[in-house]
Amino acid sequence: MNFETVMQELEALGKERTKKIYMSNGAHEPLFGVATGAMKPIAKKIKIDQALAEELYATGNYDAMYFAGVIADPKGMTEADYDRWMDGAYFYMLSDYVVAVTLSESDIAQEVADKWIASGEELRMSAGWSCYCWLLGNRKDFEFSESKIAEMLDLVKNTINDSPERTKSAMNNFLYTVGISYLPLHEKAVETANEIGVVEMKRENKKSAFLNAFETIQKEVDKGRIGFKRKYVRC
């Protein structure tokens, strides 16, 4: 399938209701409003096509950018490629659910995510923390440095309340992901979440969200889901 065909198929799948939901979360025109599940039949036809993914991502169309992440070749992308994609990620659904997800399937994931976390830029930081969420929720525990993840938990404890709003959300997600999916530091994550307590995340044109990683971890403990790992990251 070529670029024009994919764009036509995405447009045909668009729904006004879905479009409004995306826009209420920060998306802006151009976009069609395609439910992510509706993209799967097209993705099965294409599988992996990095050149096409680049064409789609460059459109600035949210649905096309999302689909680009589905058919991208994560291990074929360089750090410069990921930085370029981050430059185009204008809101969190792109930074955290497209770029960070794609990065998490690459061999340079931790290296790039570490730089983004240290960048001081809200969405880059958010993508960096989110990438670790996808990594920890999918890869084996031995693939991570326990001391490094412990230091990251301390960083969350010391900086989350003073961090940019979207970064707060990603840091909170990291905290409970460690507590649920990374067994070596389950106890430390629980203790850290308990110390932090509830974190307020202010949202534009919406009421504040109140984040509580401790409660999230406890719910998963009650369900017997500690140690949970995803089989796949991308849909």
Side-chain angles (χ1 to χ4, degrees):
M1 295 178 75
N2 61 21
F3 171 77
E4 288 78 14
T5 306
V6 172
M7 289 299 288
Q8 287 167 7
E9 293 214 12
L10 288 174
E11 185 171 11
L13 291 168
K15 297 279 191 295
E16 196 60 34
R17 183 172 176 275
T18 306
K19 182 175 178 177
K20 286 178 180 175
I21 292 170
Y22 292 161
M23 292 184 80
S24 74
N25 281 285
H28 59 57
E29 295 284 3
L31 76 163
F32 303 131
V34 184
T36 55
M39 296 179 179
K40 288 184 179 180
I42 317 175
K44 282 182 180 177
K45 293 178 191 174
I46 298 170
K47 295 182 180 173
I48 299 295
D49 188 332
Q50 184 61 32
L52 179 55
E54 291 290 359
E55 280 190 277
L56 293 167
Y57 198 85
T59 62
N61 177 299
Y62 170 67
D63 301 289
M65 295 171 84
Y66 187 96
F67 189 67
V70 176
I71 63 167
D73 176 11
K75 294 185 179 180
M77 293 176 69
T78 65
E79 182 176 344
D81 292 328
Y82 284 110
D83 279 329
R84 179 166 44 77
W85 275 36
M86 265 307 305
D87 289 340
Y90 64 86
F91 78 124
Y92 79 95
M93 286 171 66
L94 287 169
S95 62
D96 296 14
Y97 296 100
V98 177
V99 187
V101 169
T102 308
L103 175 62
S104 74
E105 293 199 0
S106 75
D107 296 329
I108 56 173
Q110 292 191 52
E111 174 190 337
V112 175
D114 290 344
K115 290 180 182 178
W116 289 353
I117 287 169
S119 71
E121 297 174 32
E122 182 171 15
L123 289 181
R124 266 184 165 75
M125 293 167 74
S126 182
W129 288 107
S130 294
C131 181
Y132 269 96
C133 294
W134 299 113
L135 287 166
L136 290 161
N138 172 252
R139 298 192 186 185
K140 304 292 185 186
D141 287 347
F142 67 78
E143 295 185 47
F144 303 91
S145 160
E146 185 176 335
S147 61
K148 177 182 178 180
I149 302 299
E151 286 175 5
M152 292 174 74
L153 286 174
D154 290 337
L155 181 61
V156 171
K157 181 173 73 174
N158 295 329
T159 65
I160 188 168
N161 284 301
D162 298 318
S163 294
E165 302 307 313
R166 282 312 321 176
T167 308
K168 284 180 185 177
S169 178
M171 292 171 96
N172 180 75
N173 292 348
F174 170 82
L175 180 52
Y176 72 65
T177 301
V178 175
I180 295 165
S181 296
Y182 187 64
L183 287 176
L185 291 174
H186 168 73
E187 293 300 332
K188 181 175 173 65
V190 170
E191 289 168 12
T192 304
N194 194 33
E195 284 183 62
I196 291 170
V198 177
V199 175
E200 181 180 6
M201 181 184 75
K202 294 174 183 173
R203 300 183 293 178
E204 195 174 344
N205 301 320
K206 290 184 178 181
K207 291 180 180 177
S208 292
F210 293 92
L211 314 173
N212 191 329
F214 181 78
E215 278 191 0
T216 304
I217 296 169
Q218 289 308 311
K219 285 176 183 174
E220 296 305 299
V221 168
D222 294 343
K223 293 176 185 174
R225 282 166 56 87
I226 298 306
F228 168 77
K229 299 283 186 181
R230 298 172 184 272
K231 191 172 183 183
Y232 303 105
V233 177
R234 292 189 292 174
C235 67

